[in-house]
């Protein structure tokens, strides 16, 4: 739609610009704070012009919180979660949209219901399972008395243990299932004309070939959109990595930021903390900049 | 080349029956057009032959093998879809070659075959384009190429021309028929367009509400429509159909009392019938010697070579074809002449054709009625 509305344009641009200022101000404050020394950052009010200690603060934050290692952890964690979610939701939606099997609707609604159960709601049971994946089976055996029976027969007392705490698997796996992603794909798959599916059948493509050769390439915009959203979401996760990684070798960058936050009564090194924050934010910024084009296309998804 | 034999094939979705116990024998190399109004089950029939739709009852055999349980790829059919169904993310070459790729044909041979088919269809310059960069006619060609490349025994077309503009439709129609003659495969072509059916078909299968109304050559269908439905569906303008009552052996009376002479009938007086006559079979103007028959003219459609005159006759809407000059100046009434041999008679209750001497006369014209086994 092309319209000539100079006044409306001016108004929209003003509103947009104000929004931009509001959004960017906190970043400016963080960046400015990260460039001062200990004395200046604690002045009230804090100077709003950058100081000369930026690089120094950055290196200090980097080494103190071991950010090199932690960023790598974050990358593995967020990348793993994003990849897992993209793949699992794609094949789930594929099954729901393109195959007729008993219980299809029930499964769909079951997935729908999990939308109302975000990680925070189910974090205790999820933690329990991650701590011992076989725990539920042990419980079943205990409750039914089978443990006692086996102990009585064989003399061995069953104690099933398979923990995922302090491992990448434990970090990633419980977050991989996603109703949101399944929905995004479902909506997209529903727009695929039946004729295209039938044409592929006539060409001799079976279900797996159809998925790999046709459906997956056609959904690349959705893949990009979903991967971006999920990467950012996982990168910013705090509670789950904090619970699962008691050992700092598997901690993520976001949780390790707490190393830089001044303790009560400690030296108020907010300049270092802000420098660390900047470093941890940077990768997400890059992802958004790089993926933006695909991301927007995947969400509007009207392109044929 | 393949015979297709369809035996008592039926399709129903739950309780709704879409195709009812349908029998059809298609000879190897024949061009069959399935003609019928939208929603009559044509596509369903085609998709059952292709294997895209399960059949509820009956048997379909291709080349003597019953294919009821075979996957589409095992049936040796290729299909051209109404909306072309090209893979949007693949180039024209990849679209055409996909079936070969799936079948594991080596790349060199694949490219050679794509090249050959592209040349036949005039697509050589477009091989690297995406479907979105093609015009409707070009997409149609790619869809044809994709079907041709596998050298199938049977071509299935589901209204492939309905998305093209009128001129392109005529051009593609001719090309499809030429291709069929050259490839000597068996073709089944579904359409709701009677002109396509008349021009393309060796034999036409007219369908209505899931049932076959008539199977015959285009001329058989034209000259001896087997039912009131076929008579009204085939022909532009549609055949005039008037309710009447039998009076004597050679005369019926229309609803408004107008008497019409007919070929000899063997029906009891008082039997309700439907008489049909095509617009171009009605004599009009000065030479008419039935003074009683007059068309009350409503309006005239000038076509240049002739004119379609619409009006009321015998209590019904009625159309006749008149010489352009005669229709000029908007006459109020037009004298009509109806020759008994030009009449078609149908049972008022069942809609089936009633045999008359007219049909016997038609039998004498061999071109019109070459009986097909
Ligand atoms: N999956 C389905 N479930 C129920 N009814 C269907 C289904 N597919 C088609 N039909 C019905 O079957 C009838 C014939 O459809 P179709 O063969 O597509 O007609 P057409 O002659 O226009 O190609 C239509 O009335 C349609 O509503
Ligand atoms: Mg159809």
């Amino acid at each position: 739609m092309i319209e000539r509305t100079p006044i409306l344009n001016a108004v929209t641009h003003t509103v947009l610009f104000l929004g931009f200022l509001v959004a960017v101000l906190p970043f400016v404050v963080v960046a400015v704070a990260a460039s001062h020394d200990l004395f200046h950052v604690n002045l009230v009010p804090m100077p709003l012009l950058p100081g000369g200690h930026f690089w120094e603060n950055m290196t200090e934050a980097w080494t103190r919180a071991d950010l090199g290692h932690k960023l790598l952890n974050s990358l593995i964690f967020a990348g793993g979660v994003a990849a897992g979610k993209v793949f699992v939701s794609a094949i789930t939606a594929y099954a729901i949209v393109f195959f007729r099997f008993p219980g299809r609707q029930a499964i769909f609604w079951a997935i729908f219901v999990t939308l109302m159960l975000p990680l925070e709601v189910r974090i205790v049971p999820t933690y329990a399972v991650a701590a011992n994946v076989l725990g539920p089976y042990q419980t079943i055996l205990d409750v039914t008395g089978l443990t006692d029976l086996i102990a009585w027969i064989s003399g061995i007392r069953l104690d099933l243990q398979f923990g995922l705490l302090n491992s990448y698997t434990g970090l990633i796996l419980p977050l991989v299932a996603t109703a949101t992603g399944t929905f995004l794909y479902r909506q997209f798959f529903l727009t695929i004309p039946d004729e295209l599916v039938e044409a592929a059948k006539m060409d001799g493509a079976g279900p797996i070939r159809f998925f790999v050769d046709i459906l997956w390439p056609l959904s690349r915009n959705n893949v990009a959109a979903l991967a971006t959203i999920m990467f950012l979401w996982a990168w910013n996760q705090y509670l789950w990595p904090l619970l699962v990684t008691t050992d700092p070798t598997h901690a993520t960058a976001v949780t390790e930021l707490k190393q830089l936050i001044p303790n009560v009564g400690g030296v108020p090194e907010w300049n270092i903390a802000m420098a660390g924050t900047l470093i941890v934010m940077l990768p997400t910024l890059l992802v958004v900049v790089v993926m933006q084009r695909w991301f927007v296309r995947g969400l509007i998804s009207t392109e044929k | 080349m393949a015979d297709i034999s369809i035996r008592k094939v039926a399709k129903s979705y739950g309780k709704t029956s879409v195709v009812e116990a349908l029998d059809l024998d298609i000879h190897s190399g024949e061009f069959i057009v399935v003609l019928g109004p939208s929603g009559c089950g044509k596509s369903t029939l085609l998709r059952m032959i292709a294997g895209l739709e399960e059949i509820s009852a009956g048997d379909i055999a291709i080349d003597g093998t019953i294919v009821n349980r075979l996957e589409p790829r095992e049936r040796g059919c290729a299909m051209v879809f109404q909306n072309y169904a090209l893979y949007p993310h693949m180039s024209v070459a990849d679209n055409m070659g996909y079936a070969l790729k799936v079948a594991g044909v080596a790349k060199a041979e694949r490219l050679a075959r794509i090249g050959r088919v592209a040349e036949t269809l005039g697509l050589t310059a477009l091989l690297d384009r995406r479907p979105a960069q093609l015009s409707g006619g070009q997409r149609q060609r790619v869809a044809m190429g994709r079907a041709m490349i596998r050298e199938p025994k049977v071509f299935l077309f589901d209204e492939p021309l309905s998305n093209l503009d009128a001129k392109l439709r005529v051009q593609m129609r001719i090309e499809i028929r030429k291709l069929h003659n050259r490839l000597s495969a068996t073709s089944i072509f579904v359409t709701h367009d009677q002109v396509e059916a008349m021009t393309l078909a060796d034999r036409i299968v007219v369908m209505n509400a899931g049932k076959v109304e008539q199977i015959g050559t285009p001329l058989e269908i034209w000259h001896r429509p087997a039912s009131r439905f076929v008579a009204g569906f085939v022909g532009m303008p549609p055949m005039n159909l008037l309710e009447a009552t039998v009076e004597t052996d050679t005369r019926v009376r229309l609803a408004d009392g107008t008497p019409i002479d007919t070929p000899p009938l063997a029906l009891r007086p008082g039997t309700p019938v439907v008489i049909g006559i095509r617009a171009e079979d009605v004599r009009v103007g000065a030479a008419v010697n039935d003074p009683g028959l007059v068309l009350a003219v409503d309006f005239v459609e000038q076509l240049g070579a002739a004119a379609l005159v619409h009006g009321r006759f015998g209590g019904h809407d009625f159309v006749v074809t008149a010489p352009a000059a005669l229709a000029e100046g908007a006459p109020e009434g037009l004298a009509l002449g109806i020759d008994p041999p030009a009449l078609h008679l149908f049972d008022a209750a069942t809609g089936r054709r009633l045999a008359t001497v007219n049909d016997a006369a038609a039998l004498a014209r061999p071109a019109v009625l070459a009986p097909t086994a």
Side-chain angles (χ1 to χ4, degrees):
Chain A
M1 190 165 55
I2 299 168
E3 286 180 18
R4 300 208 142 270
T5 48
I7 298 176
L8 191 65
N9 281 356
V11 173
T12 4
H13 276 107
T14 317
V15 172
L16 262 181
F17 187 70
L18 288 177
F20 169 73
L21 281 187
V22 170
V24 92
L25 196 68
F27 290 92
V28 174
V29 173
V30 168
V32 169
S35 68
H36 285 294
D37 59 13
L38 185 57
F39 171 72
H40 281 96
V41 83
N42 282 297
L43 282 180
V44 180
M46 191 188 87
L48 279 178
L49 291 176
H53 300 269
F54 185 71
W55 194 244
E56 187 186 314
N57 291 340
M58 292 292 251
T59 16
E60 177 59 23
W62 182 272
T63 43
R64 199 185 295 175
D66 190 15
L67 281 182
H69 182 197
K70 300 296 146 49
L71 281 175
L72 182 68
N73 279 353
S74 273
L75 200 68
I76 294 173
F77 167 58
V81 169
K85 277 180 184 273
V86 164
F87 181 69
V88 168
S89 51
I91 54 173
T92 315
Y94 183 47
I96 288 176
V97 174
F98 289 98
F99 294 85
R100 305 273 167 272
F101 52 90
R104 193 170 66 102
Q105 283 300 320
I107 290 171
F108 173 69
W109 286 110
I111 293 172
F112 186 82
V113 163
T114 64
L115 265 183
M116 288 175 259
L117 298 172
L119 180 67
E120 287 72 18
V121 175
R122 58 185 162 89
I123 199 148
V124 173
T126 309
Y127 180 83
V129 171
N132 182 9
V133 177
L134 300 176
Y137 302 101
Q138 177 79 44
T139 310
I140 292 172
L141 293 180
D142 288 349
V143 169
T144 54
L146 280 172
T147 320
D148 292 333
L149 189 68
I150 293 168
W152 181 66
I153 292 171
S154 64
I156 301 166
R157 185 140 205 109
L158 270 188
D159 185 16
L160 305 174
Q161 285 290 348
F162 179 44
L164 292 176
L165 299 186
N166 286 317
S167 70
Y168 290 127
T169 324
L171 266 172
I172 295 170
L173 217 51
L175 302 191
V176 156
T178 162
T180 323
T182 309
F183 263 100
L184 191 69
Y185 275 109
R186 176 178 176 269
Q187 292 317 106
F188 172 68
F189 287 169
L190 286 175
T191 67
I192 302 265
D194 286 346
E195 279 196 352
L196 204 62
V197 183
E198 292 176 349
K201 271 190 208 165
M202 295 303 294
D203 276 347
I208 293 178
R209 275 214 91 117
F210 176 69
F211 184 78
V212 173
D213 286 350
I214 291 162
L215 216 46
W216 187 256
L218 282 180
S219 40
R220 63 186 188 282
N221 287 337
N222 295 64
V223 170
L226 193 65
T228 313
I229 299 176
M230 292 311 173
F231 184 88
L232 299 185
W233 175 84
W235 186 273
N236 290 327
Q237 279 301 303
Y238 187 74
L239 195 53
W240 181 249
L242 195 65
L243 275 177
V244 175
T245 58
T246 45
D247 163 12
T249 49
H250 286 94
T252 64
V254 173
T255 57
E256 284 308 275
L257 270 183
K258 69 176 186 292
Q259 303 288 345
L260 300 177
I261 293 175
N263 293 323
V264 182
V267 192
E269 287 175 304
W270 288 107
N271 49 344
I272 310 286
M274 290 303 115
T277 310
L278 265 190
I279 296 174
V280 173
M281 265 181 345
L282 214 58
T284 54
L285 215 62
L286 281 179
V287 167
V288 170
V289 169
V290 172
M291 300 296 275
Q292 195 192 25
R293 201 160 62 95
W294 305 99
F295 175 80
V296 173
R297 264 201 235 161
L299 288 188
I300 52 181
S301 137
T302 44
E303 186 210 43
K304 278 279 142 68
Chain B
M1 292 279 253
D3 290 328
I4 301 172
S5 133
I6 297 171
R7 288 272 162 272
K8 298 262 168 283
V9 162
K11 175 76 191 178
S12 49
Y13 294 103
K15 284 202 166 31
T16 27
S17 171
V18 175
V19 173
E20 288 171 33
L22 190 145
D23 281 302
L24 178 60
D25 272 300
I26 299 171
H27 313 304
S28 191
E30 212 176 4
F31 200 118
I32 290 283
V33 174
V34 180
L35 174 67
S38 171
C40 71
K42 312 178 293 287
S43 296
T44 308
L45 172 64
L46 199 71
R47 291 154 44 81
M48 286 193 289
I49 298 171
L52 295 170
E53 199 84 68
E54 268 183 52
I55 60 181
S56 309
D59 286 314
I60 296 177
I62 298 178
D63 254 352
T65 322
I66 296 207
V67 297
N68 297 7
R69 304 230 152 267
L70 294 188
E71 289 288 317
R73 61 167 165 265
E74 299 163 320
R75 298 192 182 194
C77 302
M79 189 150 168
V80 179
F81 294 86
Q82 180 169 5
N83 297 309
Y84 319 136
L86 302 178
Y87 309 121
H89 60 295
M90 293 186 194
S91 68
V92 166
D94 289 345
N95 259 289
M96 295 201 296
Y98 186 61
L100 300 182
K101 190 175 158 198
V102 173
V105 174
K107 184 152 190 194
E109 192 194 334
R110 214 156 72 208
L111 290 179
R113 276 166 77 174
I114 292 172
R116 275 204 301 277
V117 170
E119 183 150 349
T120 317
L121 293 169
L123 289 171
T124 311
L126 306 175
L127 280 177
D128 292 326
R129 296 234 195 132
R130 292 283 170 88
Q133 301 164 311
L134 300 176
S135 71
Q138 289 166 337
R139 282 183 215 181
Q140 173 64 55
R141 265 170 226 271
V142 177
M144 301 264 301
R146 186 170 64 175
M148 279 164 59
I149 198 151
R150 287 191 298 154
E151 291 158 14
K153 294 185 285 186
V154 180
F155 276 107
L156 305 171
F157 300 87
D158 193 352
E159 310 213 13
L161 306 181
S162 56
N163 285 345
L164 300 180
D165 61 56
K167 200 171 159 196
L168 212 50
R169 204 178 307 163
V170 173
Q171 190 186 332
M172 282 310 289
R173 196 168 78 200
I174 295 167
E175 270 184 56
I176 286 180
R177 182 66 220 206
K178 277 191 192 156
L179 269 175
H180 169 85
N181 292 349
R182 182 138 50 93
L183 299 175
S184 70
T186 309
S187 298
I188 307 179
F189 186 106
V190 159
T191 181
H192 63 264
D193 181 325
Q194 41 133 350
V195 180
E196 271 170 30
M198 294 296 287
T199 49
L200 279 171
D202 291 328
R203 282 192 301 155
I204 298 177
V205 177
V206 185
M207 276 184 78
N208 181 31
K211 292 197 203 78
V212 169
E213 291 274 338
Q214 185 172 9
I215 302 175
T217 64
L219 285 181
E220 273 168 29
I221 301 251
W222 184 263
H223 289 291
R224 282 173 34 101
S227 69
R228 186 181 168 165
F229 173 83
V230 178
F233 193 76
V234 178
M236 198 64 234
M239 185 187 285
N240 296 297
L241 292 166
L242 312 169
E243 279 155 27
T245 315
V246 175
E247 194 169 81
T248 69
D249 268 357
T250 56
R251 176 175 300 165
V252 298
R253 210 169 265 282
L254 299 182
D256 71 343
T258 315
I260 302 278
D261 289 334
T262 65
L265 301 164
L267 292 171
R268 266 195 300 128
T271 314
V273 293
V274 172
I275 63 167
I277 184 157
R278 294 197 188 279
E280 58 274 19
D281 289 343
V282 183
R283 287 183 295 114
V284 291
V288 173
N289 46 18
D290 284 335
L293 308 183
V294 175
L295 178 74
V297 178
D298 283 337
F299 64 99
V300 174
E301 279 184 282
Q302 256 312 342
L303 302 178
L308 292 179
V309 183
H310 296 257
R312 302 275 302 168
F313 173 69
H316 289 269
D317 289 331
F318 202 85
V319 191
V320 297
T321 309
L326 194 65
E328 216 161 353
E332 277 185 13
L334 207 55
L336 304 180
I338 294 178
D339 296 332
L343 279 182
H344 305 262
L345 280 112
F346 304 99
D347 188 311
T350 64
R352 299 311 295 177
R353 182 182 191 85
L354 296 168
T356 62
V357 275
N358 184 8
D359 295 347
L363 273 168
R365 282 177 279 168
V368 175
L369 200 81
T372 44

